[in-house]
Amino acid sequence: MAKPRVWLTAALFLTVSMVRAEPRVVSLDQCADQYVLALAPRADIAGLSPRAQADDSYLRAQARGLSVVRADSEAILGVRPKVVVRYWGGSPPLLADLKRRGITVVEIDDATDFAGVRADIRRVARALHAIDAGEALVRGMDAKLTASAGAWRGRSAAYLTSGGATAGRGTLIDAMFTASGLKNTTQTTGYAELSLERLIADPPAAVVGGFFDRAAVSRQPWGIGRHRVLRELMRRTALVSLPAAILGCPAWFAADGATRIAAAARSRPAT
């Protein structure tokens, strides 16, 4: 008499497992890795990009022990994913081939503000059947932005990378500035290169640095980030220096940048 109950229990377990099954997923680049690691169960991650454990990968610790897959048809089809996530990885012919084979390709847009990041999170979360996890990421990001709001009370600063680049309007960097109460002195749109000569002749009064942790380990000793003038400028004017791990991807952890900028205001009040 117990056998029908056992069969019923097994059938119920199988049904629940099928309903809760998540799609197997592959990510094609370092930014896509972060979304997949944050939103997909580990058991459903069929492969990450070769840079998933790089020093500037935000969730590199979570990538340990997971498979790495090259961005080519043979490698990807070999692990039989249902979904492929990408930001910049994978050539157009590769993506077209995957779509022809019935694989869902989800693209992360180059978000220039936090509304765009929310849209990216929700797009990937829907494809991975991870709506709740996506909304949790959005809530966490928004809580950090709320906590950072107005910290610098309108103080002016420029963004400067170890490579001599700056960021103006229409960039996620500018959105971080706004979120933490900084006024961006770079009024042009997008990203631009600054020459060392210009930095010497007209140095900014205050700087938010970016990627200087990567400059410290750069294999190019002649890079601008290693130049004594730039290092001295950072020493004198830097309000905060943001690590590469939170700058290389339009993702929820851009709010960590706003948090770090705001924290600097609390330890060094605006004037």
Side-chain angles (χ1 to χ4, degrees):
M1 296 295 295
K3 286 185 178 180
R5 183 176 299 175
V6 172
W7 294 338
L8 179 61
T9 301
L12 180 61
F13 176 79
L14 179 61
T15 301
V16 171
S17 298
M18 291 175 64
V19 169
R20 296 179 61 187
E22 304 292 342
R24 284 174 60 78
V25 58
V26 162
S27 52
L28 297 186
D29 53 68
Q30 186 176 352
C31 185
D33 293 334
Q34 313 313 310
Y35 278 81
V36 168
L37 286 165
L39 294 171
R42 285 180 69 85
D44 294 301
I45 299 176
L48 301 172
S49 84
R51 286 191 51 79
Q53 293 187 59
D55 290 342
D56 54 349
S57 174
Y58 185 78
L59 296 178
R60 58 189 175 277
Q62 292 177 222
R64 293 175 190 148
L66 293 172
S67 297
V68 169
V69 175
R70 301 185 313 277
D72 63 56
S73 290
E74 182 179 3
I76 294 168
L77 295 174
V79 296
R80 305 180 68 180
K82 294 182 180 178
V83 178
V84 166
V85 181
R86 58 95 61 173
Y87 175 46
W88 54 263
S91 65
L94 168 64
L95 302 178
D97 181 51
L98 296 176
K99 292 175 183 178
R100 280 195 301 270
R101 295 172 183 271
I103 296 172
T104 299
V105 176
V106 185
E107 302 205 36
I108 298 165
D109 286 343
D110 191 14
T112 58
D113 55 28
F114 288 101
V117 173
R118 291 184 196 98
D120 278 337
I121 293 170
R122 286 168 173 151
R123 184 182 311 108
V124 178
R126 283 195 300 271
L128 298 181
H129 303 175
I131 301 298
D132 291 345
E135 291 307 309
L137 282 185
V138 169
R139 287 193 300 272
M141 180 183 77
D142 287 345
K144 291 178 180 179
L145 295 176
T146 298
S148 302
W152 277 104
R153 291 178 286 177
R155 175 164 181 173
S156 295
Y159 176 68
L160 180 63
T161 73
S162 61
T166 190
R169 295 190 299 269
T171 64
L172 198 50
I173 295 296
D174 191 61
M176 291 183 207
F177 273 42
T178 299
S180 56
L182 272 182
K183 180 181 178 181
N184 192 349
T185 59
T186 303
Q187 292 300 298
T188 55
T189 300
Y191 294 90
E193 296 294 325
L194 297 175
S195 69
L196 188 60
E197 291 76 14
R198 178 178 173 185
L199 289 172
I200 293 171
D202 186 23
V207 163
V208 171
F211 296 99
F212 280 86
D213 57 325
R214 298 299 296 162
V217 297
S218 173
R219 296 182 180 180
Q220 298 181 352
W222 57 86
I224 189 174
R226 289 178 175 268
H227 197 285
R228 61 177 179 80
V229 171
L230 193 56
R231 293 201 304 270
E232 177 62 18
L233 176 64
M234 284 292 293
R235 187 190 69 78
R236 289 187 293 101
T237 67
L239 305 178
V240 64
S241 186
L242 303 178
I246 67 173
L247 295 172
C249 177
W252 63 96
F253 42 83
D256 290 3
T259 297
R260 292 187 183 218
I261 296 170
R266 299 184 183 107
S267 62
R268 180 180 172 179
T271 56

